[in-house]
Amino acid sequence: MIAYVLRKLLFIFLLFLLILTLQFFLFRLAIPDPTIIYIREGLGPEEREIIRRSFGLDRPLYEQYLRYIVNFLRGDMGYSFLYKEPVSSIIIDRLLNTLVLTIPATLTAFLIAFYLGSYMAWLRSSLFEKAFVATLSVVHSLPLFWIGMIAIAIISVHLGLLPAGGMRTPPYEAESFLDKILSFDFLKHWILPYTVLTIYTASYPTLLMRGSMISTLGEDFITTLKAVGFSERIVIAKASRYSILPLITYMGISMGLAFSGSVAFETVFSWPGVGRELVIAFYNLDYPLAQGVFAVMALAIIVINTLVDIAYSYLDPRIRRGTSG
Amino acid sequence: MSVLGYIRAFLGYVYEDKLGLAAFTVLTLLLVFSLAGPLVYRVDPHAVHKGYEVRIHVVDPEGLRVRGVLSLEMEALGGVLTPDGSLLLLGFNGVLYELPLPPLARGLQFEGEVRLSSSSLRVVAENVLLASVSHGDVYVVSMADGAIALDRFENSSITRLSVLEVGDARTLRGVVVGGGVVVLILESSIVLASGGELHSFDVGFGLSGSGVSCWDKVVVGGSRGRLVVLNVLTGEVNVIRVFVDDVLHVACANGVVYVFGRGGSMAVVYENLSYKVVPTGVVDDLVVSIPFDGGLLTVGSMGSILYVEGGGVRLAGYISGLRGVRTASLSSGQLVIVSFGEFVRDLRPPSLEHPLGTDYYGRDVLAQVMVGVRMSLFIAFVTALIVTFIGATLGIVAGYLRGRVDSAVNSLINIMYSIPLEPFAVLLAIIMKPGMLTVILAISILIWRTTARIVRSQVLSVASTPMVEAAKAIGAPHHRIIAYYIVPAVLPVILVDFASTMVYAILAEATLSFIGVGPQDTFTLGTILNHARITGAWRTGWWLLTPGIFIGLITISLYILIRVFEPIANPKLRRT
């Protein structure tokens, strides 16, 4: 098991290295001179050379590449053009904002999916169940950002119940992350994106759980349990425990989707997370910030995928043997 | 089986399933809508729609808060607000209409914009040259048998005051009635009518049409700050020049004449004809003044509101959204500001003319959606083709050859699974530039991973069937086995996966275009939503959110078709 985990860690490292390498060469290929944003009219060739040298662009490409990789791995992702601040400190701040939305939403969504999915499998073919499955399918077929727009238009703008975006009412200056989120004002901003994200995230796993549960309910041991005379509640509880595996697989994918989906979702809710930061970096051509956000998101997804793999191999030892042999 | 046979089989399966039939119908209708729609609905999605309009803003004079807006589609030449709360509008055909504004007169409060229909207009008079307010009374000047008639408008009816034999009155710009005389202002001359006699004075420069009777004189504004001062008692005419731009209007209050000019220029003229320039701090054309609270309230054409008292002026505020202000009045404690001209028809809710309304720039949303559905389907189709090609090829090769090739493809799939789509697309857009190619490329580079995985596992199970084993045993070459045994066996799965990829691509395209990565010169369903977001108009303009419904229609229909064909393509999924 330890060897397996170590191999996985090495895999994470190599994969991340590969992504950084791709990123470096893609950018260098497309934008040969990143200092273009610093170079203003009227600067002579000598000044340009000084700027280029201060960024290390006069060195050979392999040296730039090595330095880029080493700095990135040490957490130094350069300076943001837009904020004139280290990219890493911006990303840490925004990452916490993203997580405070995505982690509770994903957890709630999967809890809902587990219970609602089992329950709906039990109610199979009833009118209520059919309507619910149809509703969930529709929610799953719509773009998340659009559902967010509808929610804001109805609840915030039309009814005026909740703020239409942001994390705190401006002007606001946070002293720490906890100071920022431990307030009623934050809760008022948080509840709408949280609810929308939860409903959307829960839609597909609920259907997944329902399908898995329906096939479990057809198994022989369920018939036996019923025949023995266990109560309905106990039968459902037993069956749902056996049906949970597809849900766990999907949870990893869902966390990854939450990260990449945050780009559009946070833009709609003006939520100052990593996703919205990427859009800001895109509109302002802030190359270092965009690269940093992308690398961090990719790393997060690699780590989550690996964690799911490890959890799965813990649940099902055949996988562990399969990869080592 | 021939192509026709395949189509017949497809339609047969669709026809068996009620939901499937509905989904197929919806997709067909959407295709017809987007392809044939522009032939029927010939509106350019890029065209900015404009129209002549009269807009009436009702404003709270204290806080300068807009209480509501009335608007009427009409090309107006002139407009006058009467003291009893109605609006006289002069059309280009010389007909003077009365528009009663009862809610304003009664001081009712209302929110938002109310559209009036032209049926609320009542014809007052014809062959009208102009209508004008002079010292609280409304006068109407019209053509009558080569002469001009001066009428007074009161209580919705007109009474004739006099007929003046003025030779050429087509250039009439304004009329001043007061102090027992009538002064007609023409293009570059004025006519004084007193006691049945006419005296004409040619001044030799352009007059603005605005005049006022003050002291025992009539003061008329002209171009470049020139004023014509006519002494009513002696008939003496003086021209003085004050340091303002073209005079737009003059007003008399507290024993002085205020002169308002273009670009926010202003001067005060005293009875001895000495004057003082007053800096206003605004650059608006100051078009109208109304008596207010012992002074004057002056309104600029772009919505500046000045409060003028004594020799001083104070900026009272600015009403946003006002353009082309022509006249204003204060009645029942409400400031009524009338503007007219050609306005962009922006953010119109759905109507017969624009079934899905217009956007922030006054462009037709339905025409955009027609293009959008077409472009979104096109992008999704091309993307799905590329994705299916890459994914199926790699999946078949990896599943059939196994060994090193398989593990290499598997690693590639794993790498692709670690790259998030939206951030990758944003990065690609930074490197290349936003556009259709960027969207197609970003989705196809990543999403073949799912196809490859599904096809590979399908090929693995097909490749171990006795049929393939037998073909290998008799020494059939790889390409023959793949072409004759593997591909036909996995083709149904590939086709169903093609539809799934299309669903994914539709949603991905919408999301990517929404964050600004999509095409900039045409419309997709995502870019329409992106425009709505950037302009901030979606929060109130619900019709700007309709592209989402079209996205949903496409994806749900495709999902239903997938559900119909999945058990057929992959019998393992068939459940009893």
Side-chain angles (χ1 to χ4, degrees), chain B residues 138-162:
Chain B
V138 181
Y139 297 96
V140 176
V141 184
S142 50
M143 298 276 282
D145 307 322
I148 65 169
L150 180 71
D151 304 317
R152 181 187 284 145
F153 179 85
E154 217 167 13
N155 299 324
S156 297
S157 61
I158 51 176
T159 40
R160 180 129 312 177
L161 299 178
S162 58

Side-chain angles (χ1 to χ4, degrees), chain B residues 122-445:
Chain B
R122 191 180 70 83
V123 176
V124 175
E126 281 171 6
N127 297 327
V128 175
L129 290 169
L130 63 84
S132 150
V133 179
S134 204
H135 300 272
D137 290 317
V138 181
Y139 297 96
V140 176
V141 184
S142 50
M143 298 276 282
D145 307 322
I148 65 169
L150 180 71
D151 304 317
R152 181 187 284 145
F153 179 85
E154 217 167 13
N155 299 324
S156 297
S157 61
I158 51 176
T159 40
R160 180 129 312 177
L161 299 178
S162 58
V163 176
L164 306 168
E165 297 288 341
V166 180
D168 186 17
R170 275 170 303 172
T171 59
L172 187 71
R173 292 256 172 117
V175 60
V176 182
V177 184
V181 295
V182 176
V183 176
L184 299 175
I185 306 166
L186 300 166
E187 195 172 18
S188 62
S189 61
I190 57 175
V191 177
L192 168 70
S194 73
E197 278 181 64
L198 294 177
H199 303 281
S200 185
F201 305 94
D202 205 346
V203 295
F205 55 86
L207 296 172
S208 71
S210 166
V212 69
S213 156
C214 202
W215 318 302
D216 48 4
K217 304 182 176 85
V218 169
V219 180
V220 175
S223 61
R224 305 206 177 172
R226 281 171 288 212
L227 296 172
V228 181
V229 184
L230 171 73
N231 193 317
V232 179
L233 303 178
T234 62
E236 183 190 348
V237 173
N238 280 314
V239 173
I240 62 164
R241 191 161 180 181
V242 297
F243 198 70
V244 299
D245 204 337
D246 296 348
V247 177
L248 293 175
H249 79 281
V250 288
C252 177
N254 309 326
V256 290
V257 170
Y258 296 96
V259 183
F260 298 93
R262 208 172 281 288
S265 53
M266 176 186 165
V268 185
V269 180
Y270 301 98
E271 197 171 356
N272 60 8
L273 299 188
S274 67
Y275 78 96
K276 181 179 96 176
V277 171
V278 182
T280 60
V282 297
V283 290
D284 236 1
D285 290 347
L286 300 169
V287 286
V288 61
S289 291
I290 31 187
F292 175 72
D293 203 13
L296 287 175
L297 199 65
T298 303
V299 185
S301 68
M302 305 290 279
S304 319
I305 309 284
L306 298 171
Y307 182 59
V308 181
E309 194 183 30
V313 62
R314 174 169 62 82
L315 181 65
Y318 176 80
I319 299 169
S320 64
L322 272 180
R323 269 164 297 158
V325 172
R326 301 303 175 103
T327 182
S329 83
L330 197 64
S331 68
S332 317
Q334 305 195 87
L335 178 61
V336 178
I337 301 173
V338 177
S339 45
F340 48 78
E342 196 180 20
F343 296 114
V344 171
R345 294 176 192 269
D346 53 342
L347 294 177
R348 291 303 152 88
S351 62
L352 273 179
E353 201 182 345
H354 304 289
L356 281 181
T358 61
D359 70 359
Y360 186 79
Y361 304 107
R363 299 177 300 189
D364 187 88
V365 176
L366 179 64
Q368 294 181 15
V369 168
M370 278 176 184
V371 176
V373 170
R374 192 168 68 225
M375 291 309 290
S376 288
L377 281 173
F378 174 73
I379 292 175
F381 189 76
V382 170
T383 309
L385 274 184
I386 300 174
V387 165
T388 307
F389 180 75
I390 302 175
T393 310
L394 286 178
I396 288 171
V397 168
Y400 180 74
L401 293 179
R402 307 198 200 170
R404 280 193 183 171
V405 178
D406 189 21
S407 55
V409 170
N410 247 335
S411 310
L412 208 56
I413 290 176
N414 275 334
I415 292 170
M416 290 305 157
Y417 264 108
S418 63
I419 301 176
L421 172 69
E422 281 96 331
F424 176 70
V426 170
L427 225 57
L428 214 59
I430 293 178
I431 292 168
M432 295 165 62
K433 68 178 181 218
M436 190 151 68
L437 190 65
T438 312
V439 172
I440 293 177
L441 220 56
I443 306 174
S444 5
I445 288 177

Side-chain angles (χ1 to χ4, degrees), chain A residues 10 12 129:
Chain A
L10 186 70
I12 291 184
E129 191 252 7

Side-chain angles (χ1 to χ4, degrees), chain A residues 21-260:
Chain A
T21 308
L22 280 176
Q23 188 170 264
F24 175 81
F25 284 105
L26 263 177
F27 265 86
R28 197 39 55 83
L29 218 66
I31 308 152
D33 189 1
T35 57
I36 202 146
I37 204 148
Y38 278 105
I39 291 172
R40 263 163 278 149
E41 297 254 344
L43 274 169
E46 284 143 48
E47 282 102 330
R48 289 185 186 202
E49 204 43 54
I50 290 169
I51 292 175
R52 286 173 59 82
R53 200 174 300 153
S54 71
F55 281 91
L57 287 165
D58 54 337
R59 311 286 174 88
L61 196 64
Y62 73 90
E63 203 184 317
Q64 292 181 35
Y65 167 66
L66 284 179
R67 189 181 276 204
Y68 179 82
I69 296 287
V70 170
N71 281 347
F72 231 104
L73 293 178
R74 289 203 330 232
D76 176 8
M77 308 181 196
Y79 269 78
S80 154
F81 292 160
L82 182 65
Y83 294 96
K84 319 275 182 229
E85 258 181 77
V87 168
S88 49
S89 71
I90 299 169
I91 288 182
I92 288 171
D93 180 61
R94 307 296 193 269
L95 194 60
L96 287 173
N97 294 346
T98 298
L99 292 180
V100 82
L101 200 58
T102 47
I103 289 181
T106 311
L107 290 180
T108 324
F110 277 82
L111 217 62
I112 292 174
F114 177 70
Y115 285 108
L116 201 64
S118 336
Y119 185 60
M120 286 206 308
W122 195 256
L123 292 180
R124 204 185 170 189
S125 301
S126 71
L127 194 69
F128 175 74
E129 191 252 7
K130 276 182 183 163
F132 221 96
V133 168
T135 313
L136 286 179
S137 308
V138 169
V139 169
H140 182 62
S141 317
L142 294 167
L144 170 60
F145 73 87
W146 189 73
I147 300 175
M149 285 172 120
I150 294 282
I152 295 175
I154 294 174
I155 292 172
S156 304
V157 179
H158 189 68
L159 299 176
L161 295 177
L162 292 167
M167 207 166 164
R168 290 294 299 260
T169 311
Y172 175 76
E173 205 66 50
E175 278 155 31
S176 70
F177 181 66
L178 278 182
D179 174 47
K180 183 157 58 184
I181 66 164
L182 289 178
S183 78
F184 183 65
D185 185 44
F186 168 78
L187 199 69
K188 270 201 327 204
H189 286 79
W190 176 79
I191 193 80
L192 190 61
Y194 163 76
T195 312
V196 171
L197 195 56
T198 304
I199 292 173
Y200 181 78
T201 312
S203 63
Y204 185 65
T206 307
L207 296 173
L208 208 63
M209 182 69 194
R210 173 184 160 275
S212 166
M213 184 78 173
I214 284 172
S215 59
T216 308
L217 287 177
E219 301 270 343
D220 291 343
F221 76 95
I222 297 292
T223 321
T224 314
L225 283 180
K226 282 184 192 163
V228 167
F230 280 106
S231 72
E232 221 173 69
R233 258 186 54 203
I234 291 175
V235 176
I236 297 182
K238 291 273 179 204
S240 57
R241 205 168 301 162
Y242 281 95
S243 318
I244 203 174
L245 222 57
L247 211 60
I248 290 177
T249 322
Y250 188 72
M251 195 159 172
I253 299 173
S254 178
M255 286 294 274
L257 286 180
F259 260 102
S260 73

Side-chain angles (χ1 to χ4, degrees), chain B residues 518-551:
Chain B
Q520 309 288 301
D521 48 354
T522 182
F523 297 99
T524 74
L525 293 174
T527 52
I528 302 170
L529 291 169
N530 181 34
H531 293 321
R533 173 182 71 85
I534 288 175
T535 54
W538 62 275
R539 285 165 201 263
T540 44
W542 59 266
W543 57 93
L544 290 170
L545 293 173
T546 43
I549 295 171
F550 285 86
I551 296 173

